[in-house]
Amino acid sequence: MAMGEAAPVMEEVAARLEQAFGRPDAVRFHISPLGGVVAELATPQSRATVALKGAQVLSWRPQGRDEVLWLSPAARLDGPKAVRGGIPVCWPWFGPHPSDASAPAHGLVRTAPWQIAESEHSAGSASVTLAFNVEPDETAFWPHAARVSLRVEAGEDLRLTLTTENTGDAPFGLTAALHSYFAIGDIAAVEITGLEHRDFIDQLQPGKTIPAGQRPVRFDRETDRIYTSAPEDVLIRDPSLRRMIRIAKSNSPSTVVWNPWIEKSERLGDLGEDGYRRMVCVETARIGCDAARIAPGRSLSMETCLSVEPLV
Ligand code: TA6
């Protein structure tokens, strides 16, 4: 954009994207009531909404089923704050910056304006790929050159592929997460299976590793666990909504399980009345001892695939 040229207004952006990447009845671009440009993916099996801000999936609704993702009642796309809910992209670091407390939590790209790189449509699936380029002199927090892209494909399942390419001339370390917020009926009745045989780091007792408990994860307090060397699929069993949400993944050795419970959700202030009861995060990640190191010219992808099944 040339000096002095006004930034294109949202309507123009949506119209340009619709012309360049729209696919009739499958991939559409419009302005969300939340105040930003979004891509709508529509197939006979499911529909999804993806914001350009942060390349954040905001919604995934399988045909004939309830919404799968939880979204804060305070979510806005037109403000400076990250949207709480959906699937935030934590990249190129997870949690607090490794060395600079002034850096934003969960990386650089959650509130950044990503670009649309591609859209595809085939029988039963629709996808959009968003991309963001980082130049080394753009920020002191992460002085590397990289391209990060997120492919979001809606169909029978919801499949996200996060790809990092080292476009610089030196290797860099990377931690990342697809920080998925799932909609549930009641946190007190939910259990998470698939992590029974894994030790975990309890973020509420920094530095403490808790040995595997052999039982599903259940919730009766603030829960913030990092499972490393945990490549398994995870199931959220939700008796209230009579469904199971499967979180399958590849090339993601870490899983994070988080519910803020009462006090933390009051401190956060954007979960709404009793919001903590209706959400749980199960995050597809690569963090801690599972961090990646990417050589110049190389790429690394991590994928999560969400599906909904009747509760058995
Ligand atoms: O993934 C769990 C976590 O790291 C929690 O510790 C909590 O901070 C949560 O992410 C939400 O982080 P945010 O920066 O989105 O408020």
Side-chain angles (χ1 to χ4, degrees), residues 82 84 88 94-95 105-106 110 179 181 203 224 256-258 264 268 281 283:
R84 185 178 307 287
F94 174 86
H106 291 326
R110 282 201 287 177
H179 193 299
Y181 285 73
Q203 292 272 75
D224 194 346
V256 181
V257 175
W258 178 60
K264 177 136 188 188
L268 291 171
C281 285
E283 303 162 38

PDB file of all heavy atoms in Angstrom, residues 82 84 88 94-95 105-106 110 179 181 203 224 256-258 264 268 281 283, ligand 1:
ATOM      1  N   ALA A  82      -7.058 -10.060  21.436  1.00  0.00           N
ATOM      2  CA  ALA A  82      -7.251 -11.384  20.819  1.00  0.00           C
ATOM      3  C   ALA A  82      -8.665 -11.862  21.161  1.00  0.00           C
ATOM      4  O   ALA A  82      -9.192 -11.573  22.232  1.00  0.00           O
ATOM      5  CB  ALA A  82      -6.211 -12.358  21.363  1.00  0.00           C
ATOM      6  N   ARG A  84     -11.184 -14.450  22.440  1.00  0.00           N
ATOM      7  CA  ARG A  84     -11.164 -15.666  23.268  1.00  0.00           C
ATOM      8  C   ARG A  84     -12.224 -16.625  22.717  1.00  0.00           C
ATOM      9  O   ARG A  84     -13.419 -16.306  22.679  1.00  0.00           O
ATOM     10  CB  ARG A  84     -11.438 -15.358  24.738  1.00  0.00           C
ATOM     11  CG  ARG A  84     -11.286 -16.633  25.612  1.00  0.00           C
ATOM     12  CD  ARG A  84     -11.490 -16.369  27.065  1.00  0.00           C
ATOM     13  NE  ARG A  84     -10.642 -15.289  27.552  1.00  0.00           N
ATOM     14  CZ  ARG A  84      -9.320 -15.386  27.737  1.00  0.00           C
ATOM     15  NH1 ARG A  84      -8.701 -16.545  27.476  1.00  0.00           N
ATOM     16  NH2 ARG A  84      -8.601 -14.376  28.163  1.00  0.00           N
ATOM     17  N   PRO A  88      -7.660 -20.160  18.517  1.00  0.00           N
ATOM     18  CA  PRO A  88      -6.543 -19.212  18.371  1.00  0.00           C
ATOM     19  C   PRO A  88      -5.254 -19.929  17.936  1.00  0.00           C
ATOM     20  O   PRO A  88      -5.024 -21.090  18.280  1.00  0.00           O
ATOM     21  CB  PRO A  88      -6.376 -18.645  19.789  1.00  0.00           C
ATOM     22  CG  PRO A  88      -7.666 -18.924  20.491  1.00  0.00           C
ATOM     23  CD  PRO A  88      -8.187 -20.186  19.889  1.00  0.00           C
ATOM     24  N   PHE A  94       4.485 -20.432  22.554  1.00  0.00           N
ATOM     25  CA  PHE A  94       3.281 -20.762  23.338  1.00  0.00           C
ATOM     26  C   PHE A  94       3.446 -20.158  24.729  1.00  0.00           C
ATOM     27  O   PHE A  94       4.539 -20.246  25.315  1.00  0.00           O
ATOM     28  CB  PHE A  94       3.115 -22.279  23.448  1.00  0.00           C
ATOM     29  CG  PHE A  94       1.987 -22.671  24.368  1.00  0.00           C
ATOM     30  CD1 PHE A  94       0.689 -22.760  23.896  1.00  0.00           C
ATOM     31  CD2 PHE A  94       2.221 -22.933  25.712  1.00  0.00           C
ATOM     32  CE1 PHE A  94      -0.350 -23.096  24.730  1.00  0.00           C
ATOM     33  CE2 PHE A  94       1.187 -23.258  26.573  1.00  0.00           C
ATOM     34  CZ  PHE A  94      -0.106 -23.338  26.074  1.00  0.00           C
ATOM     35  N   GLY A  95       2.341 -19.579  25.279  1.00  0.00           N
ATOM     36  CA  GLY A  95       2.431 -19.051  26.637  1.00  0.00           C
ATOM     37  C   GLY A  95       3.267 -17.773  26.665  1.00  0.00           C
ATOM     38  O   GLY A  95       3.361 -17.041  25.676  1.00  0.00           O
ATOM     39  N   ALA A 105       1.444 -12.723  25.204  1.00  0.00           N
ATOM     40  CA  ALA A 105       1.334 -14.164  25.458  1.00  0.00           C
ATOM     41  C   ALA A 105       0.885 -14.866  24.181  1.00  0.00           C
ATOM     42  O   ALA A 105       0.144 -14.283  23.368  1.00  0.00           O
ATOM     43  CB  ALA A 105       0.306 -14.426  26.570  1.00  0.00           C
ATOM     44  N   HIS A 106       1.372 -16.083  23.994  1.00  0.00           N
ATOM     45  CA  HIS A 106       0.937 -16.926  22.876  1.00  0.00           C
ATOM     46  C   HIS A 106       1.316 -16.389  21.502  1.00  0.00           C
ATOM     47  O   HIS A 106       0.632 -16.664  20.511  1.00  0.00           O
ATOM     48  CB  HIS A 106      -0.573 -17.182  22.940  1.00  0.00           C
ATOM     49  CG  HIS A 106      -0.987 -18.061  24.089  1.00  0.00           C
ATOM     50  ND1 HIS A 106      -0.218 -19.094  24.574  1.00  0.00           N
ATOM     51  CD2 HIS A 106      -2.109 -18.048  24.869  1.00  0.00           C
ATOM     52  CE1 HIS A 106      -0.848 -19.683  25.594  1.00  0.00           C
ATOM     53  NE2 HIS A 106      -1.983 -19.073  25.801  1.00  0.00           N
ATOM     54  N   ARG A 110      -1.871 -13.814  16.789  1.00  0.00           N
ATOM     55  CA  ARG A 110      -3.292 -13.980  17.162  1.00  0.00           C
ATOM     56  C   ARG A 110      -4.141 -12.766  16.774  1.00  0.00           C
ATOM     57  O   ARG A 110      -5.330 -12.885  16.543  1.00  0.00           O
ATOM     58  CB  ARG A 110      -3.442 -14.167  18.678  1.00  0.00           C
ATOM     59  CG  ARG A 110      -3.113 -15.508  19.191  1.00  0.00           C
ATOM     60  CD  ARG A 110      -3.759 -15.736  20.548  1.00  0.00           C
ATOM     61  NE  ARG A 110      -3.122 -14.988  21.635  1.00  0.00           N
ATOM     62  CZ  ARG A 110      -3.585 -15.016  22.885  1.00  0.00           C
ATOM     63  NH1 ARG A 110      -4.674 -15.715  23.187  1.00  0.00           N
ATOM     64  NH2 ARG A 110      -2.981 -14.345  23.842  1.00  0.00           N
ATOM     65  N   HIS A 179      -5.074 -23.555  19.846  1.00  0.00           N
ATOM     66  CA  HIS A 179      -5.587 -23.427  21.221  1.00  0.00           C
ATOM     67  C   HIS A 179      -7.117 -23.571  21.244  1.00  0.00           C
ATOM     68  O   HIS A 179      -7.842 -22.641  21.590  1.00  0.00           O
ATOM     69  CB  HIS A 179      -5.159 -22.045  21.723  1.00  0.00           C
ATOM     70  CG  HIS A 179      -5.295 -21.811  23.201  1.00  0.00           C
ATOM     71  ND1 HIS A 179      -6.483 -21.873  23.871  1.00  0.00           N
ATOM     72  CD2 HIS A 179      -4.385 -21.447  24.131  1.00  0.00           C
ATOM     73  CE1 HIS A 179      -6.285 -21.571  25.146  1.00  0.00           C
ATOM     74  NE2 HIS A 179      -5.037 -21.334  25.342  1.00  0.00           N
ATOM     75  N   TYR A 181     -10.942 -24.027  21.795  1.00  0.00           N
ATOM     76  CA  TYR A 181     -11.953 -23.901  22.861  1.00  0.00           C
ATOM     77  C   TYR A 181     -13.187 -24.684  22.421  1.00  0.00           C
ATOM     78  O   TYR A 181     -13.806 -24.336  21.399  1.00  0.00           O
ATOM     79  CB  TYR A 181     -12.372 -22.439  23.037  1.00  0.00           C
ATOM     80  CG  TYR A 181     -11.396 -21.519  23.740  1.00  0.00           C
ATOM     81  CD1 TYR A 181     -10.236 -21.082  23.123  1.00  0.00           C
ATOM     82  CD2 TYR A 181     -11.673 -21.037  25.018  1.00  0.00           C
ATOM     83  CE1 TYR A 181      -9.363 -20.205  23.762  1.00  0.00           C
ATOM     84  CE2 TYR A 181     -10.807 -20.155  25.670  1.00  0.00           C
ATOM     85  CZ  TYR A 181      -9.652 -19.750  25.027  1.00  0.00           C
ATOM     86  OH  TYR A 181      -8.791 -18.868  25.667  1.00  0.00           O
ATOM     87  N   GLN A 203       0.666 -26.556  35.311  1.00  0.00           N
ATOM     88  CA  GLN A 203       1.011 -25.131  35.167  1.00  0.00           C
ATOM     89  C   GLN A 203       0.663 -24.354  36.435  1.00  0.00           C
ATOM     90  O   GLN A 203       1.066 -23.197  36.576  1.00  0.00           O
ATOM     91  CB  GLN A 203       0.251 -24.534  33.978  1.00  0.00           C
ATOM     92  CG  GLN A 203       0.704 -25.062  32.622  1.00  0.00           C
ATOM     93  CD  GLN A 203       1.859 -24.253  32.067  1.00  0.00           C
ATOM     94  OE1 GLN A 203       2.999 -24.394  32.524  1.00  0.00           O
ATOM     95  NE2 GLN A 203       1.587 -23.394  31.116  1.00  0.00           N
ATOM     96  N   ASP A 224      -4.861 -26.703  34.416  1.00  0.00           N
ATOM     97  CA  ASP A 224      -4.001 -26.158  33.353  1.00  0.00           C
ATOM     98  C   ASP A 224      -2.819 -27.114  33.209  1.00  0.00           C
ATOM     99  O   ASP A 224      -1.820 -27.005  33.905  1.00  0.00           O
ATOM    100  CB  ASP A 224      -3.512 -24.754  33.743  1.00  0.00           C
ATOM    101  CG  ASP A 224      -2.923 -24.011  32.564  1.00  0.00           C
ATOM    102  OD1 ASP A 224      -2.654 -24.661  31.527  1.00  0.00           O
ATOM    103  OD2 ASP A 224      -2.734 -22.777  32.679  1.00  0.00           O
ATOM    104  N   VAL A 256      -2.448 -29.705  25.523  1.00  0.00           N
ATOM    105  CA  VAL A 256      -2.726 -28.855  26.687  1.00  0.00           C
ATOM    106  C   VAL A 256      -4.206 -28.986  27.032  1.00  0.00           C
ATOM    107  O   VAL A 256      -5.053 -28.984  26.131  1.00  0.00           O
ATOM    108  CB  VAL A 256      -2.385 -27.377  26.394  1.00  0.00           C
ATOM    109  CG1 VAL A 256      -2.667 -26.500  27.626  1.00  0.00           C
ATOM    110  CG2 VAL A 256      -0.924 -27.234  25.971  1.00  0.00           C
ATOM    111  N   VAL A 257      -4.496 -29.136  28.313  1.00  0.00           N
ATOM    112  CA  VAL A 257      -5.883 -29.194  28.789  1.00  0.00           C
ATOM    113  C   VAL A 257      -6.072 -28.047  29.771  1.00  0.00           C
ATOM    114  O   VAL A 257      -5.308 -27.909  30.730  1.00  0.00           O
ATOM    115  CB  VAL A 257      -6.163 -30.544  29.490  1.00  0.00           C
ATOM    116  CG1 VAL A 257      -7.572 -30.545  30.086  1.00  0.00           C
ATOM    117  CG2 VAL A 257      -6.009 -31.706  28.504  1.00  0.00           C
ATOM    118  N   TRP A 258      -7.110 -27.204  29.510  1.00  0.00           N
ATOM    119  CA  TRP A 258      -7.273 -26.004  30.340  1.00  0.00           C
ATOM    120  C   TRP A 258      -8.734 -25.686  30.577  1.00  0.00           C
ATOM    121  O   TRP A 258      -9.535 -25.708  29.632  1.00  0.00           O
ATOM    122  CB  TRP A 258      -6.609 -24.792  29.674  1.00  0.00           C
ATOM    123  CG  TRP A 258      -6.789 -23.509  30.460  1.00  0.00           C
ATOM    124  CD1 TRP A 258      -6.366 -23.285  31.744  1.00  0.00           C
ATOM    125  CD2 TRP A 258      -7.431 -22.306  30.017  1.00  0.00           C
ATOM    126  NE1 TRP A 258      -6.711 -22.008  32.135  1.00  0.00           N
ATOM    127  CE2 TRP A 258      -7.355 -21.381  31.103  1.00  0.00           C
ATOM    128  CE3 TRP A 258      -8.024 -21.903  28.831  1.00  0.00           C
ATOM    129  CZ2 TRP A 258      -7.875 -20.087  31.012  1.00  0.00           C
ATOM    130  CZ3 TRP A 258      -8.546 -20.607  28.734  1.00  0.00           C
ATOM    131  CH2 TRP A 258      -8.472 -19.727  29.826  1.00  0.00           C
ATOM    132  N   LYS A 264     -10.356 -17.657  38.149  1.00  0.00           N
ATOM    133  CA  LYS A 264      -9.581 -17.182  36.982  1.00  0.00           C
ATOM    134  C   LYS A 264     -10.526 -16.638  35.923  1.00  0.00           C
ATOM    135  O   LYS A 264     -10.246 -15.609  35.294  1.00  0.00           O
ATOM    136  CB  LYS A 264      -8.706 -18.282  36.389  1.00  0.00           C
ATOM    137  CG  LYS A 264      -7.955 -17.804  35.127  1.00  0.00           C
ATOM    138  CD  LYS A 264      -6.540 -18.190  35.065  1.00  0.00           C
ATOM    139  CE  LYS A 264      -5.805 -17.520  33.898  1.00  0.00           C
ATOM    140  NZ  LYS A 264      -4.435 -18.032  33.719  1.00  0.00           N
ATOM    141  N   LEU A 268     -10.312 -13.048  34.238  1.00  0.00           N
ATOM    142  CA  LEU A 268     -10.198 -12.840  32.786  1.00  0.00           C
ATOM    143  C   LEU A 268     -11.312 -11.925  32.295  1.00  0.00           C
ATOM    144  O   LEU A 268     -11.113 -11.091  31.407  1.00  0.00           O
ATOM    145  CB  LEU A 268     -10.232 -14.189  32.058  1.00  0.00           C
ATOM    146  CG  LEU A 268      -9.006 -15.085  32.265  1.00  0.00           C
ATOM    147  CD1 LEU A 268      -9.250 -16.469  31.675  1.00  0.00           C
ATOM    148  CD2 LEU A 268      -7.750 -14.461  31.653  1.00  0.00           C
ATOM    149  N   CYS A 281     -10.641 -26.263  27.009  1.00  0.00           N
ATOM    150  CA  CYS A 281      -9.624 -26.207  25.938  1.00  0.00           C
ATOM    151  C   CYS A 281      -8.873 -27.524  25.908  1.00  0.00           C
ATOM    152  O   CYS A 281      -8.413 -28.013  26.952  1.00  0.00           O
ATOM    153  CB  CYS A 281      -8.640 -25.069  26.204  1.00  0.00           C
ATOM    154  SG  CYS A 281      -9.318 -23.439  25.849  1.00  0.00           S
ATOM    155  N   GLU A 283      -5.786 -28.573  23.488  1.00  0.00           N
ATOM    156  CA  GLU A 283      -4.966 -27.880  22.498  1.00  0.00           C
ATOM    157  C   GLU A 283      -3.964 -28.813  21.821  1.00  0.00           C
ATOM    158  O   GLU A 283      -3.271 -29.581  22.499  1.00  0.00           O
ATOM    159  CB  GLU A 283      -4.245 -26.721  23.187  1.00  0.00           C
ATOM    160  CG  GLU A 283      -5.219 -25.757  23.864  1.00  0.00           C
ATOM    161  CD  GLU A 283      -4.564 -24.878  24.894  1.00  0.00           C
ATOM    162  OE1 GLU A 283      -3.403 -24.455  24.653  1.00  0.00           O
ATOM    163  OE2 GLU A 283      -5.184 -24.613  25.934  1.00  0.00           O
TER     164      GLU A 283
HETATM  165  O1  TA6 B   1      -3.376 -22.919  27.192  1.00  0.00           O
HETATM  166  C1  TA6 B   1      -3.646 -22.603  28.537  1.00  0.00           C
HETATM  167  C2  TA6 B   1      -3.189 -21.178  28.795  1.00  0.00           C
HETATM  168  O2  TA6 B   1      -1.814 -21.038  28.588  1.00  0.00           O
HETATM  169  C3  TA6 B   1      -3.622 -20.790  30.208  1.00  0.00           C
HETATM  170  O3  TA6 B   1      -2.520 -20.744  31.069  1.00  0.00           O
HETATM  171  C4  TA6 B   1      -4.320 -19.436  29.995  1.00  0.00           C
HETATM  172  O4  TA6 B   1      -3.392 -18.384  30.054  1.00  0.00           O
HETATM  173  C5  TA6 B   1      -4.904 -19.639  28.603  1.00  0.00           C
HETATM  174  O5  TA6 B   1      -3.851 -20.272  27.888  1.00  0.00           O
HETATM  175  C6  TA6 B   1      -5.486 -18.416  27.946  1.00  0.00           C
HETATM  176  O6  TA6 B   1      -4.485 -17.556  27.561  1.00  0.00           O
HETATM  177  P1  TA6 B   1      -4.951 -16.130  26.933  1.00  0.00           P
HETATM  178  O7  TA6 B   1      -3.687 -15.413  26.682  1.00  0.00           O
HETATM  179  O8  TA6 B   1      -5.716 -16.435  25.667  1.00  0.00           O
HETATM  180  O9  TA6 B   1      -5.859 -15.494  27.968  1.00  0.00           O
END
